[in-house]
Amino acid sequence: MINQLQWLGLVASYLLVLGVGPVWAQGKEVQNQENLATSAQRVADQGDAYSGLRLRKLIKQVNHNIPTQDKVGSRKQTSSRIRQLSEVERPSTSAQMLVQSPTPSNQENLGGKVIPITSVKANPTAKGVEVILETPVGTQLQVTNRSAGSDFIVDVFGGQLRLPSGEAFTFRSEKPLAGITEITAQNIDANTVRVTVVGEKALPTVELYDDDAGLVFAVALQATATSPQQPPQTPQANQPENQTQPTQPSTGDQPIELVVTGEQDGYNASDASTATKTDTPLRDIPQSIQIIPREVIQDQGAVRLTEAVRNVSGVSLAGTSGDRGEDYTIRGFAANIYKNGFLDDFYSSRAFRESANIERVEVLKGPASVLFGRLEPSGIINLVTKKPLADPYYNVNLTAGSYSFYRPTLDFSGPLTQDGKLGYRLNVAYENSGSFRDFVNKERFFIAPVLNWKIGANTNLTFEGEYLHAENPLDRGLPVIDNKIADIPISRYLSDPRNQVVVDESKTYLTLNHEFNQNLSLRTAFRVTTASETNNRFVIQPIFANSNNGTINLINSGPFNQYYETYFLQNDLTGKFNTGSVKHTLLFGVEVGRLYQRNQGESGPDQSINIFNPVYNFSYDGPYQTLQNTTTNTNTFGIYLQDQITVFDNLKLLVGGRFDTYHSETQDFLNFSTTETDSDAFSPRVGVVYQPTKEISLFANYSRSFNPVSGTDKNDNAFEPERGTGYEVGIKGDFLNNRLSSTLAFYTVTKTNVTTADPSDPTGTFSIQVGEQRARGIEFDIAGEILPGWKVIGSYAYTDPEITEDNTYPVGNTLANTPRHTGSLWTTYTFQTGTLEGFGFGGGIFANSEAYGDLDNSYTIPGFVRTDAAVFYKRDRLRASINFKNLFDVRYFEGTFLRAANPAAPFTVQGTISWEF
C-alpha cells in the first residue's frame, strides 16, 4: 500500500496546482484583447502550389501595439493595400465591448478542413528577416494575437505544421535579430499553430500589411526597450503608428545571420523532452542525448528496436532473453527502457517491443535518477509514440522477406469531429515468420488506438492504449563449451521443437495537459499495464552446458506462469518566470508507482542432446516439482524539482534533484518466508551549457542515480541501494545552417555499493557491499543532411568498462557484453529532380569489436562488421523499398545469457510497399 508520506506528497502537489496556479496565472499573463479586423482577398489562382503567411521582422522603433484578428489569404499577381494602422478606427477597449467581440472560428472560414503548413522558411532581408509559413494551396487562414510579458503571440487557426508525409514538426529561430530572443512556431492543438516572438527586454510591435505572398507582420522593438535608462517616449498625437523612429546604427539595414533549429524532419531532430521533461533544444541540454527519427527507422527497414538503437554510440545489445525481447547496455551498464516517460522494464514488456506506433527513439546517456527514479547509471532509451494528426491520414504497408517473413501494418489518423476537437490515431501490425533457426516460427499481433480530446483552448486529454500478443519458442541460441561458443551451424536449434512461450501485454495511458497561461502548465499522466507470460512444459534450455563428446544437458524450466501489473501516476508542473534578466523554467514533479508480480512454475526432468548430431526425442515422464511460487508487491514514490536557468543567451544552467522512497515485499509460499526491501535516496544533477557561437555548445554535467538492492548481510543489516555517479563534458555542433548536428562527449561513470562475496563468511552465503565498477569513454554522434537529398547518421564509441573493486571477480576484468569499440555509419541519397526524382539508395556498416560474455571474462563474443544496403522509390502516395541486411552474410552474435550466445541473422532481403490515401 502507498504509505502516508507518499499520499501527503501527492496531495501537496495538487494543492500547489489548485492554489498557486491560478494566482500565478493572474499575475503573469497580460492579454490585450483589442481586435482589429482586416481582410485579405482570396488567392486569384487556386492552382498555384505556393501560398502562405509571412511574419517579417523589421528593425524599426514603433511605439504602439495593436492586436489584430484577421482572415489570412495570399495573392500572387496583385497586391491589395490594407489601411495603415493610423488609418484604422480603434475599437472600444471597454470590458463590455470586449465581451461582445466575436471569437475566431476557423471552421467558419475553412469549412471544417484543416490546412497543412508543410514548411516554415526563414529568409534574411536587407532590414531584418521574414518567416514564411507555406501551405500547399491558396487558402484562407485566421489569426489572432495577444501579448504576455515580452512575448508577442500569434495563433493561426485552421492550420497545422505538418510535413507532406504527415509528420508534425516544430520551428525555432534563435536570436534572429538584435532585441529578439527567439521565434518559434508549433502546433498547440489539432487545428491551431502558435507563432511566438520573444522580445529580449520589451514586447515586439506589429505592423500589418499585404503583399504578393500574403499577410505580413512587421515586428519591431519599442525604442525604449533597448535603452531602459532613457526616459520613456510618448507617441505623438497624429503620428502614424508605422512611422519609423530613430534607431541605433547597430540595428540598421545590415544582413542578419540566421540560425534556425527545431524542424523534426529527416535524420536531424533538434528538440527532445526526455532529458528535462520539457521541450528543450538539444543544444541547450548539458548532457549527451541522441534522437533516432522515424525516417531513419523507415529507411533502414528496422522492424525491431534493436535495429534502431545500433545507430547510437555507446549502446550495445546484451541479449535477447531467449529470442523474446531485448536487453541493452549503455556505457557498460544495463540500459533502462522507458515509453512516453514511463518505466517499460520486464514488468510491462515481456516480448520484443513493437515499432509500429513509435514516432522516434530518444537515448539519454548517463545517470538519470533526477527525473526518473530508480535506475542503473547507464542512461535511458525512451520510446515516443505516434499521436493523432489534424488531417486525415491513411497508410497501409506490407513488408515481406526472407524466411517466410510477412508483416502488414496500417496507420490511420485524423479528426473525428468537424471542429477537430476530437482526433484519433490507430496503428495495427500483424507478423508471421519463420526463422533461420530450425523449428522456430513466430507470430504476433499488435494494436494501438489513441484518442485526443481538446476539452478547451488550453486543455487536452489523451487516451492511448496498446495490446500485444506474441507466440514464439524460447531460444537461447548456441551454448558456450570449453569457454568457446560452439562451432556448429547458427541454424541449429537445441531445444524441443514443441517449446512455446505465449505473451500478452496491455498498456493504457491517460494524459491531461493544461496551460494556465503562457508561463504555467500542468501535465498529469496515469499509466496501467498488465503482462503475462506462459511457458509450456517443453521449454528446455542449453544454459550452463557441459559437453561430453558433444552431448549437453538441457535444463527443464517449464511449465511456468508469470503475471505482472504496474500503476504509475505522474504530475509535472512547469512554470516560466524571470528574476531580473535571468530566465527560469521551473519543473516540479511527483511520481507514485505500484508494481505487482506473481511467479508460479515447475521443474521437470532435464534432457540431453548432441550438438553435432541432434535427435529431438525427449521424454517428460519423470516427476515434476514446484520450482517457484512467489508474489512481490512494490511501492515507489518520488518528488523532484528542476530549474533550467538562462543566465545569458549563451550561458545556461540546469540544476535539479529528486528524493525517492522504495518498498518491496516478496512472499515465498514454498518456504513460507517474507523478504522486505526499503530504500530511499536523493539524486542530484547539475549541468552547464556555454555557447561561444550560435553553432557551438560546450557542456558539462554531474549526476547521480540509485537502484535498490534486496537482501541483508550476515549481521541482518539491509543492503543500501547501489549508487551511480557520472561526470561528462562535451561539445555539440550545428553546421550547414543546422542541417547537420554532432555531439562529442567524454565521460566517466562509477557504480558503488555493488554486492560481492563476504571474505569473513566461510560458508560463502553472505555478501557485502564493497564492490565498484567504472566505465570511461569517448563518444561521437552525427546526423543530418549534407546536401539536398543526401542524409547521414553515424556514431563511434570507445568504452572502457572495468571492475575496480570486488571480492568475487578479478579487479580489472571488463564488464560483460560491452565491446571496447563500436561504430556505425548509414547514408542515403534521394534524387530531387529529373526522371529519377523520388528514387534513392543507401547503405551502411555496423561494427563491434570483441566483448567478454561474463564478468569472469572466461569467453569472448567475436567482433564483426555488418554491411546493409537499401534502394527505395517514393512518388506521390506510393513508397517502395528493398533492404539488404547483412549483405556479406557475416556470422556474428548479439549478446549472451547464462553461457549461451544469440546468433544474429545471416543475409536477408526485405521488401516493403506502402500506400497513403
Side-chain angles (χ1 to χ4, degrees):
M1 298 297 294
I2 300 175
N3 59 38
Q4 295 179 353
L5 176 61
Q6 295 171 330
W7 281 116
L8 181 62
L10 184 60
V11 172
S13 70
Y14 273 110
L15 290 176
L16 178 63
V17 172
L18 297 176
V20 179
V23 175
W24 195 349
Q26 294 174 11
K28 280 292 180 183
E29 181 170 20
V30 179
Q31 294 191 359
N32 191 336
Q33 298 294 335
E34 295 178 303
N35 294 322
L36 175 63
T38 65
S39 63
Q41 300 181 26
R42 287 187 178 271
V43 178
D45 182 6
Q46 293 289 330
D48 183 59
Y50 169 84
S51 65
L53 169 68
R54 292 192 179 187
L55 303 178
R56 177 179 295 161
K57 290 149 293 294
L58 304 178
I59 304 302
K60 291 186 176 183
Q61 304 295 340
V62 183
N63 292 314
H64 292 286
N65 273 317
I66 299 186
T68 61
Q69 177 175 313
D70 305 278
K71 296 176 182 178
V72 179
S74 66
R75 293 182 55 86
K76 302 198 316 300
Q77 298 180 358
T78 61
S79 179
S80 172
R81 180 181 181 275
I82 297 178
R83 289 178 295 169
Q84 300 296 333
L85 301 184
S86 59
E87 302 172 331
V88 178
E89 180 180 355
R90 291 235 185 176
S92 171
T93 59
S94 68
Q96 179 182 5
M97 291 301 294
L98 288 176
V99 171
Q100 294 175 353
S101 299
T103 58
S105 174
N106 61 293
Q107 301 303 321
E108 177 183 8
N109 302 289
L110 301 172
K113 181 176 177 58
V114 178
I115 304 303
I117 299 170
T118 56
S119 175
V120 178
K121 294 183 177 179
N123 300 323
T125 65
K127 295 184 178 181
V129 64
E130 64 180 11
V131 177
I132 306 170
L133 278 64
E134 293 186 351
T135 57
V137 294
T139 52
Q140 286 190 338
L141 297 170
Q142 190 176 66
V143 301
T144 63
N145 69 271
R146 56 193 170 92
S147 62
S150 60
D151 297 352
F152 186 83
I153 302 162
V154 180
D155 285 340
V156 182
F157 296 93
Q160 281 282 282
L161 299 178
R162 194 70 60 186
L163 298 172
S165 62
E167 298 176 2
F169 68 96
T170 60
F171 169 90
R172 176 176 282 107
S173 174
E174 297 183 0
K175 297 293 292 182
L177 300 173
I180 302 294
T181 300
E182 69 174 3
I183 302 166
T184 62
Q186 59 183 341
N187 299 321
I188 62 171
D189 56 46
N191 58 3
T192 307
V193 175
R194 176 167 294 168
V195 180
T196 305
V197 183
V198 180
E200 184 174 357
K201 296 182 179 179
L203 180 68
T205 305
V206 172
E207 176 187 359
L208 177 66
Y209 60 91
D210 193 21
D211 71 0
D212 59 352
L215 191 63
V216 175
F217 291 88
V219 182
L221 284 177
Q222 297 184 2
T224 58
T226 56
S227 304
Q229 299 84 355
Q230 300 176 0
Q233 301 179 9
T234 303
Q236 301 176 10
N238 298 324
Q239 180 181 349
E241 281 84 344
N242 67 323
Q243 179 174 328
T244 303
Q245 302 297 318
T247 61
Q248 299 179 4
S250 61
T251 57
D253 299 340
Q254 299 179 1
I256 303 298
E257 181 182 3
L258 184 66
V259 176
V260 180
T261 63
E263 292 192 17
Q264 303 291 351
D265 185 14
Y267 284 18
N268 183 22
S270 58
D271 293 77
S273 60
T274 300
T276 61
K277 287 199 171 184
T278 62
D279 288 328
T280 304
L282 298 183
R283 66 191 304 266
D284 292 344
I285 297 173
Q287 199 163 348
S288 182
I289 181 171
Q290 277 73 48
I291 313 298
I292 307 300
R294 185 69 196 178
E295 186 170 339
V296 174
I297 298 174
Q298 176 181 264
D299 287 352
Q300 293 184 352
V303 176
R304 297 285 178 261
L305 178 61
T306 55
E307 299 176 286
V309 298
R310 63 184 178 175
N311 294 283
V312 179
S313 65
V315 180
S316 299
L317 181 62
T320 64
S321 298
D323 200 30
R324 294 172 301 161
E326 59 269 291
D327 301 306
Y328 304 98
T329 62
I330 301 177
R331 295 180 172 178
F333 299 102
N336 312 282
I337 303 181
Y338 276 65
K339 197 167 194 176
N340 292 329
F342 286 97
L343 182 63
D344 193 43
D345 61 1
F346 67 92
Y347 270 84
S348 52
S349 289
R350 304 295 303 172
F352 281 107
R353 292 167 176 85
E354 182 56 54
S355 63
N357 69 330
I358 300 302
E359 183 67 33
R360 65 183 185 275
V361 180
E362 301 183 355
V363 181
L364 177 68
K365 315 278 190 64
S369 289
V370 65
L371 293 180
F372 298 98
R374 56 186 179 95
L375 295 173
E376 287 285 333
S378 51
I380 284 176
I381 300 174
N382 186 33
L383 312 180
V384 181
T385 58
K386 300 175 181 177
K387 298 300 185 289
L389 305 177
D391 297 315
Y393 173 77
Y394 308 98
N395 178 281
V396 292
N397 184 100
L398 176 62
T399 300
S402 304
Y403 306 106
S404 302
F405 180 88
Y406 300 97
R407 179 182 165 89
T409 65
L410 63 84
D411 183 0
F412 291 174
S413 186
L416 290 174
T417 58
Q418 187 174 5
D419 60 6
K421 291 186 177 181
L422 185 63
Y424 83 98
R425 191 150 192 175
L426 177 65
N427 282 274
V428 180
Y430 172 76
E431 185 176 312
N432 192 309
S433 69
S435 172
F436 68 95
R437 302 276 292 160
D438 297 335
F439 309 114
V440 172
N441 294 284
K442 307 174 185 178
E443 186 175 22
R444 55 194 281 139
F445 171 76
F446 175 80
I447 184 170
V450 186
L451 290 175
N452 183 74
W453 177 27
K454 181 187 174 185
I455 300 175
N458 298 313
T459 306
N460 283 277
L461 182 66
T462 302
F463 164 85
E464 185 170 352
E466 292 184 10
Y467 172 74
L468 173 66
H469 175 84
E471 298 182 13
N472 58 271
L474 181 68
D475 181 12
R476 294 295 185 188
L478 305 188
V480 174
I481 298 175
D482 297 330
N483 292 331
K484 294 180 181 179
I485 299 174
D487 186 15
I488 57 178
I490 61 172
S491 62
R492 185 150 299 163
Y493 181 66
L494 300 175
S495 183
D496 193 322
R498 296 169 294 179
N499 169 349
Q500 189 74 7
V501 178
V502 178
V503 171
D504 286 282
E505 301 173 4
S506 70
K507 297 182 176 72
T508 303
Y509 303 79
L510 193 63
T511 305
L512 177 69
N513 289 286
H514 176 72
E515 289 187 0
F516 296 98
N517 57 31
Q518 289 298 300
N519 297 316
L520 186 65
S521 63
L522 172 70
R523 172 187 173 269
T524 297
F526 180 62
R527 191 199 69 175
V528 179
T529 71
T530 66
S532 66
E533 177 180 326
T534 302
N535 299 2
N536 67 14
R537 64 192 297 260
F538 306 112
V539 174
I540 50 180
Q541 309 178 52
I543 55 178
F544 299 120
N546 292 312
S547 174
N548 181 13
N549 295 322
T551 299
I552 62 173
N553 288 331
L554 300 176
I555 295 178
N556 190 318
S557 56
F560 205 95
N561 298 309
Q562 302 174 70
Y563 179 77
Y564 303 85
E565 290 179 0
T566 72
Y567 304 84
F568 278 96
L569 176 65
Q570 297 178 351
N571 288 277
D572 294 325
L573 184 67
T574 304
K576 297 181 180 180
F577 61 93
N578 296 344
T579 55
S581 62
V582 178
K583 297 182 179 180
H584 300 262
T585 298
L586 190 67
L587 172 71
F588 170 74
V590 175
E591 181 180 62
V592 178
R594 179 176 176 82
L595 304 91
Y596 171 77
Q597 173 183 359
R598 183 182 72 239
N599 293 331
Q600 295 176 318
E602 297 180 342
S603 176
D606 290 344
Q607 307 293 320
S608 64
I609 195 171
N610 189 285
I611 64 173
F612 301 112
N613 185 27
V615 176
Y616 302 95
N617 184 17
F618 304 106
S619 173
Y620 299 90
D621 295 333
Y624 279 79
Q625 59 183 358
T626 301
L627 178 66
Q628 186 176 8
N629 187 5
T630 62
T631 62
T632 301
N633 287 279
T634 302
N635 293 318
T636 66
F637 172 80
I639 183 169
Y640 46 93
L641 187 68
Q642 172 188 272
D643 194 5
Q644 295 173 257
I645 307 169
T646 302
V647 181
F648 304 107
D649 291 334
N650 64 345
L651 180 61
K652 301 173 176 69
L653 302 179
L654 178 63
V655 180
R658 171 167 169 152
F659 179 77
D660 282 274
T661 64
Y662 173 93
H663 173 79
S664 72
E665 182 177 300
T666 299
Q667 290 184 294
D668 191 328
F669 298 101
L670 292 183
N671 56 23
F672 304 100
S673 65
T674 299
T675 303
E676 295 188 11
T677 302
D678 290 281
S679 296
D680 59 71
F682 176 75
S683 305
R685 176 174 63 175
V686 178
V688 60
V689 176
Y690 173 64
Q691 295 159 336
T693 68
K694 295 179 180 179
E695 295 81 14
I696 300 298
S697 298
L698 308 177
F699 69 92
N701 72 73
Y702 158 81
S703 58
R704 299 205 71 191
S705 66
F706 91 103
N707 202 21
V709 178
S710 298
T712 62
D713 61 18
K714 68 178 182 180
N715 298 318
D716 203 30
N717 296 316
F719 287 137
E720 296 291 325
E722 292 179 340
R723 297 307 306 259
T725 304
Y727 299 90
E728 182 183 32
V729 296
I731 180 172
K732 300 180 183 182
D734 297 310
F735 310 103
L736 304 179
N737 293 326
N738 297 314
R739 297 195 312 270
L740 188 68
S741 298
S742 64
T743 300
L744 176 65
F746 303 81
Y747 68 87
T748 178
V749 178
T750 303
K751 182 165 74 171
T752 57
N753 290 347
V754 178
T755 57
T756 185
D758 185 348
S760 66
D761 174 30
T763 66
T765 304
F766 294 98
S767 299
I768 57 176
Q769 288 186 290
V770 297
E772 181 184 272
Q773 300 171 356
R774 183 186 64 199
R776 296 179 293 189
I778 303 172
E779 295 172 344
F780 177 74
D781 293 87
I782 188 168
E785 188 172 28
I786 300 175
L787 293 172
W790 182 14
K791 298 174 183 177
V792 64
I793 182 170
S795 68
Y796 168 75
Y798 169 78
T799 309
D800 180 19
E802 64 175 341
I803 297 173
T804 50
E805 295 181 21
D806 207 283
N807 296 329
T808 303
Y809 303 104
V811 172
N813 272 17
T814 299
L815 301 184
N817 291 301
T818 303
R820 193 169 295 269
H821 300 274
T822 60
S824 67
L825 179 63
W826 172 268
T827 184
T828 62
Y829 180 76
T830 304
F831 290 94
Q832 305 293 295
T833 59
T835 57
L836 294 178
E837 180 181 355
F839 174 78
F841 57 91
I845 57 173
F846 305 90
N848 284 6
S849 64
E850 72 173 13
Y852 288 103
D854 57 13
L855 291 177
D856 276 318
N857 291 182
S858 62
Y859 68 98
T860 61
I861 307 170
F864 66 89
V865 177
R866 164 179 161 167
T867 304
D868 288 10
V871 292
F872 50 87
Y873 177 78
K874 187 178 190 307
R875 198 61 176 264
D876 300 325
R877 301 178 183 274
L878 173 69
R879 187 184 192 277
S881 64
I882 301 178
N883 289 86
F884 305 93
K885 301 181 179 182
N886 197 1
L887 191 61
F888 299 113
D889 200 21
V890 175
R891 174 187 168 112
Y892 70 99
F893 297 86
E894 297 179 315
T896 63
F897 179 78
L898 301 181
R899 297 183 67 80
N902 306 117
F907 171 64
T908 58
V909 180
Q910 177 181 297
T912 302
I913 185 168
S914 63
W915 180 263
E916 296 178 9
F917 57 96

